């Protein structure tokens, strides 16, 4: 107790605050302090730290700590809270000052950061663009549109020196592309028309390539293939007369247009023909900067319709283009190969499983040389799904065992490895996860193996054990439980199981709740 009050006295004297003006409360080994509305939590140095749970007794706020977020800082046994004088004075000592709860209320780090940026009052064009960018990242289109109108109003009244620029309009367009509003495409078209009209009337803000690509993405997210193809043609027309700032349509433009075709309601063959024509058009352009992104968009379209042969042919074409030096980012990467593998998963070909295995072996052999296409967790899960779709339980179990061995030896490439799959790239990360195990359980449920129920229970127990050992991505979910129960029912319709039988089965499997509702969560139902 004396130690805590010594810390309080030293802080109070150093900050010029009289100890008599500080209210202290204590919960167990923890002391909390509030001085002039600034909150500081003093925790004992016994290693306990964590989330705050506040209680008020007689105007004194008490906080206890359980598990501390990684963003919180401890300085000499003191847990720093935002809004405190001591937090500000500790910035020089690399204390973040962002921790549990501020004097204005509680919340986690994300809610605090959201609260702070929402309270941010921009004064310059640069500040407004920062706030527009935050709205765009969150898909808050209406807030972005409102802020854009406010910028125009402030500029016309002389309170904002510079009018909204192309960065401002681009951020609003990004927000419209990411939002879920039904009329987002119409609002995006209206915004585009408005900007083009301003430019024709002599405005300084000209629509550029990024702006049009954002509009293309807005079409693509909603499957408006016709609008995307028409816009791509308009971009070419603008480029031909020199009115497209930022250069001609690029790989992003073409890839996004193909994405729109993939998300549309077009018949598969018509969508594929349009997409192939768009890719050929891009390849035939002078000085076209080709990369894997556009080809991957077409590969994903092939995968959607299970066109395995076409996907493998396109992979080979990418290799040929790379040999000729036409691909800027090198040969097909892990994303391209996984997309082609997924095409075989959805294929109706009787030899689809063997073709998928052959492609997977190519990935392994190629990965031994460069590592860029070495299968990662996503690729392994894709092959597992190929087995599960066909009830090949034995093959799925063997592949899962192989994944565990590779993970234990540090040779399994995590799903974050490879270009475009996260910031952390490498070969030691997340191993086989809940998706891997649930996919194998799906294969067992669809197989005719007489021992499938026992093996399903063994896999469920293994998942629980791995989760208890710290594999956070291994917690069984409702689909996992549904697969295990389907195995236990041995072909019986789960809708015909009586409540008594359900209770007996749930107790046996140690599952709390019957996973089936009006609609089964199983992927094949």
């Amino acid at each position: 107790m004396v130690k805590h009050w010594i810390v309080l006295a030293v802080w109070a004297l150093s900050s010029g605050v009289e100890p008599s003006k500080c209210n202290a409360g204590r919960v167990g080994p923890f002391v909390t302090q509030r001085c002039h509305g600034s909150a500081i939590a003093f925790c004992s140095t016994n290693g306990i730290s964590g989330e705050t749970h506040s209680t008020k007794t007689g105007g004194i706020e008490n906080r206890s700590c359980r598990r501390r977020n990684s963003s919180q800082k401890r300085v000499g046994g003191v847990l720093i809270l935002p809004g405190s004088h001591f937090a500000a004075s500790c910035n020089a000592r690399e204390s973040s000052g962002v921790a549990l709860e501020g004097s204005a209320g509680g919340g986690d780090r994300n809610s605090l950061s959201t609260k702070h940026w929402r309270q941010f009052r921009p004064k310059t064009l640069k500040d407004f663009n920062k706030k527009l960018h935050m709205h765009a990242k969150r898909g808050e289109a209406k807030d972005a549109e409102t802020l854009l109108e406010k910028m125009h109003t402030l500029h016309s009244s002389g309170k904002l020196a510079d009018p909204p620029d192309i960065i401002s309009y681009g951020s609003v367009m990004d927000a419209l592309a990411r939002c879920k509003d039904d009329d987002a495409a119409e609002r995006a078209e209206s915004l585009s028309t408005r900007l083009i009209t301003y430019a024709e009337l002599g405005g300084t803000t000209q629509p550029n390539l990024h702006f049009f690509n954002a509009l293309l993405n807005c079409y693509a997210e909603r499957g408006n293939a016709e609008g995307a193809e028409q816009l791509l043609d308009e971009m070419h027309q603008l480029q031909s007369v020199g009115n497209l700032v930022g250069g001609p349509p690029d790989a992003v433009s073409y890839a996004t247009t193909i994405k729109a075709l993939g998300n549309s309601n077009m018949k598969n063959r018509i969508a594929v023909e349009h997409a192939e024509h768009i890719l050929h058009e891009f390849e035939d352009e002078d000085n076209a900067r080709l990369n894997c992104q556009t080809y991957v968009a077409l590969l994903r379209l092939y995968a959607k319709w299970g066109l395995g042969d076409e996907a493998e042919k396109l992979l080979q074409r990418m290799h040929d283009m790379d040999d000729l030096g036409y691909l800027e980012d090198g040969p097909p990467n892990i994303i391209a190969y996984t997309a082609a593998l997924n095409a075989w998963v959805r294929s109706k070909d009787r030899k689809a499983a063997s073709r998928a295995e052959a492609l997977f072996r190519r990935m392994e052999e190629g990965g031994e040389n460069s590592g860029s296409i070495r299968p990662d967790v996503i690729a392994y899960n894709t092959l597992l799904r190929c087995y599960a779709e066909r009830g090949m339980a034995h093959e799925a179990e063997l592949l899962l065992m192989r994944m565990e061995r590779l993970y234990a030896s540090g040779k399994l490439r995590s799903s974050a490895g490879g270009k475009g799959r996260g910031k952390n790239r490498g070969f030691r990360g997340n191993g086989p996860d809940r998706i891997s195990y649930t996919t194998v359980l799906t294969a067992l449920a669809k197989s005719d193996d007489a021992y499938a129920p026992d093996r399903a229970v063994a896999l469920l127990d293994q998942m629980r054990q791995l989760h208890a050992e710290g594999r956070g991505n291994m917690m069984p979910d409702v689909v996992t439980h549904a697969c295990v129960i389907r195995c236990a029912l041995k072909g019986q319709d789960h809708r015909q199981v009586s409540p008594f039988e359900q209770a007996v089965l749930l107790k046996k499997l140690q599952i709390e709740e019957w996973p089936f509702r009006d609609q089964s969560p199983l992927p094949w139902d």
Side-chain angles (χ1 to χ4, degrees):
M1 183 67 181
V2 175
K3 176 174 60 177
H4 293 299
W5 284 108
I6 292 175
V7 174
L8 288 171
V10 171
W11 169 81
L13 292 173
S14 63
S15 59
V17 179
E18 297 180 13
S20 60
K21 295 182 180 180
C22 299
N23 296 323
R26 182 175 179 85
V27 179
F30 306 103
V31 177
T32 61
Q33 188 73 14
R34 178 173 293 280
C35 298
H36 299 297
S38 300
I40 302 176
F42 290 82
C43 294
S44 64
T45 57
N46 59 0
I48 302 177
S49 57
E51 298 175 354
T52 58
H53 298 268
S54 302
T55 58
K56 287 190 177 181
T57 305
I60 299 175
E61 184 173 293
N62 298 322
R63 293 192 179 98
S64 62
C65 304
R66 288 185 182 176
R67 187 187 62 190
R68 181 159 54 99
N69 188 285
S70 60
S71 64
Q72 302 157 16
K73 291 285 185 177
R74 182 186 294 281
V75 180
V78 181
L79 187 64
I80 309 302
L81 297 178
S84 66
H85 299 294
F86 189 54
S89 66
C90 287
N91 286 336
R93 305 181 207 177
E94 299 182 356
S95 175
S96 66
V98 178
L100 301 176
E101 296 179 354
S103 58
D108 56 22
R109 182 178 181 181
N110 291 332
S111 62
L112 282 172
S113 61
T114 301
K115 172 187 170 184
H116 287 166
W117 82 261
R118 283 190 179 280
Q119 292 179 346
F120 172 60
R121 296 291 179 263
K123 296 181 179 179
T124 65
L125 177 61
K126 184 177 180 180
D127 292 341
F128 274 102
N129 284 343
K130 286 181 179 179
K131 193 160 188 176
L132 281 173
H133 178 67
M134 295 298 291
H135 284 309
K137 286 177 64 177
R138 291 166 170 78
E140 298 167 347
K142 291 182 179 179
D143 291 337
E145 291 171 301
T146 301
L147 187 58
L148 182 66
E149 293 299 330
K150 181 179 179 180
M151 293 170 67
H152 277 290
T153 302
L154 290 174
H155 176 67
S156 60
S157 63
K159 296 181 180 179
L160 182 62
D162 302 307
D165 57 8
I166 190 59
I167 298 177
S168 313
Y169 278 88
S171 295
V172 177
M173 188 62 76
D174 285 335
L176 286 166
R178 296 183 184 187
C179 78
K180 304 299 182 183
D181 298 344
D182 294 334
D183 61 341
E186 290 76 9
R187 286 151 57 192
E189 290 175 352
S190 176
L191 182 67
S192 175
T193 303
R194 175 181 178 180
L195 182 58
I196 293 174
T197 303
Y198 282 160
E200 291 175 348
L201 294 176
T204 57
T205 303
Q206 298 281 342
N208 62 7
L209 181 61
H210 172 77
F211 178 83
F212 283 117
N213 282 346
L215 179 55
L216 278 172
N217 192 42
C218 193
Y219 287 140
E221 290 294 333
R222 288 150 185 83
N224 187 354
E226 183 179 354
E229 289 184 277
Q230 183 178 350
L231 179 58
L232 186 63
D233 291 337
E234 292 175 0
M235 292 169 68
H236 279 292
Q237 294 173 9
L238 289 172
Q239 171 63 23
S240 63
V241 296
N243 289 337
L244 182 58
V245 180
D250 58 2
V252 175
S253 312
Y254 285 91
T256 309
T257 306
I258 295 174
K259 176 184 174 182
L261 288 164
N263 291 339
S264 70
N265 293 324
M266 282 187 181
K267 292 183 178 179
N268 57 348
R269 282 297 171 186
I270 296 176
V272 167
E273 289 175 2
H274 282 228
E276 290 174 341
H277 173 73
I278 289 172
L279 180 59
H280 291 151
E281 184 181 276
F282 187 34
E283 290 176 335
D284 293 340
E285 282 191 9
D286 295 333
N287 301 319
R289 302 180 64 180
L290 302 173
N291 60 28
C292 288
Q293 182 177 6
T294 311
Y295 291 92
V296 167
L298 183 54
L299 282 169
R300 286 173 174 162
L301 186 60
Y302 288 150
K304 178 181 179 179
W305 301 111
L307 303 176
D309 279 320
E310 288 81 351
E312 285 210 53
K313 290 177 182 177
L314 185 57
L315 270 182
Q316 186 55 51
R317 184 164 143 205
M318 291 174 69
H319 280 289
D320 295 339
M321 297 289 284
D322 178 61
D323 292 339
L324 296 173
Y326 290 143
L327 284 184
E328 286 189 334
D329 50 356
N333 55 25
I334 181 66
I335 300 176
Y337 270 87
T338 305
L341 190 64
N342 197 29
W344 284 119
V345 173
R346 301 185 181 185
S347 174
K348 302 299 182 183
D349 194 310
R350 290 181 297 176
K351 298 181 179 179
S354 60
R355 296 290 296 274
E357 290 173 333
L359 181 59
F360 194 82
R361 285 193 294 270
R362 279 179 57 189
M363 296 171 67
E364 292 179 312
E365 293 168 359
E368 292 177 357
N369 299 326
S370 63
S372 62
I373 61 172
R374 184 173 181 176
D376 60 1
V377 173
I378 295 177
Y380 274 97
N381 287 347
T382 303
L383 184 57
L384 281 174
R385 190 155 56 89
C386 183
Y387 292 145
E389 290 288 336
R390 293 155 182 84
M392 302 171 64
H394 180 66
E395 291 80 356
E397 287 183 283
L398 289 178
L399 186 61
L400 181 63
M401 292 170 59
R402 182 178 170 191
M403 291 176 68
E404 286 291 357
R405 288 196 301 269
L406 289 172
Y407 176 67
S409 61
K411 296 180 180 180
L412 178 63
R413 185 177 190 173
S414 72
S415 58
K419 186 173 181 179
R421 296 205 179 190
K423 297 179 180 179
N424 301 319
R425 303 172 183 175
F427 292 87
R428 181 70 183 186
N430 53 310
D433 52 16
R434 179 176 60 239
I435 297 175
S436 311
Y437 277 78
T438 303
T439 307
V440 177
L441 288 169
T442 302
L444 286 168
K446 297 188 74 172
S447 71
D448 298 328
D449 195 318
Y451 297 98
D454 295 334
R455 285 150 62 190
V457 172
L459 277 178
L460 180 62
D461 291 340
Q462 186 177 352
M463 291 179 68
R464 289 167 173 164
Q465 181 181 353
L466 290 172
H467 178 72
E469 292 174 355
R471 292 266 285 274
N473 56 0
M474 200 61 70
M475 184 67 177
D477 61 3
V478 62
V479 179
T480 309
H481 293 156
C483 291
V484 176
I485 290 175
R486 177 61 68 88
C487 288
L489 293 177
K490 298 180 180 179
Q492 181 184 357
D493 191 341
H494 64 271
R495 290 179 285 267
Q496 298 177 356
V497 180
S498 67
F500 176 76
E501 292 174 321
Q502 291 181 17
V504 172
L505 192 56
L506 290 176
K507 183 177 180 180
K508 177 182 178 182
L509 298 175
Q510 299 180 16
I511 298 175
E512 294 182 359
E513 188 177 2
W514 189 251
F516 302 100
R517 290 292 180 265
D518 294 336
Q519 293 183 351
S520 170
L522 292 180
W524 58 84
D525 285 341

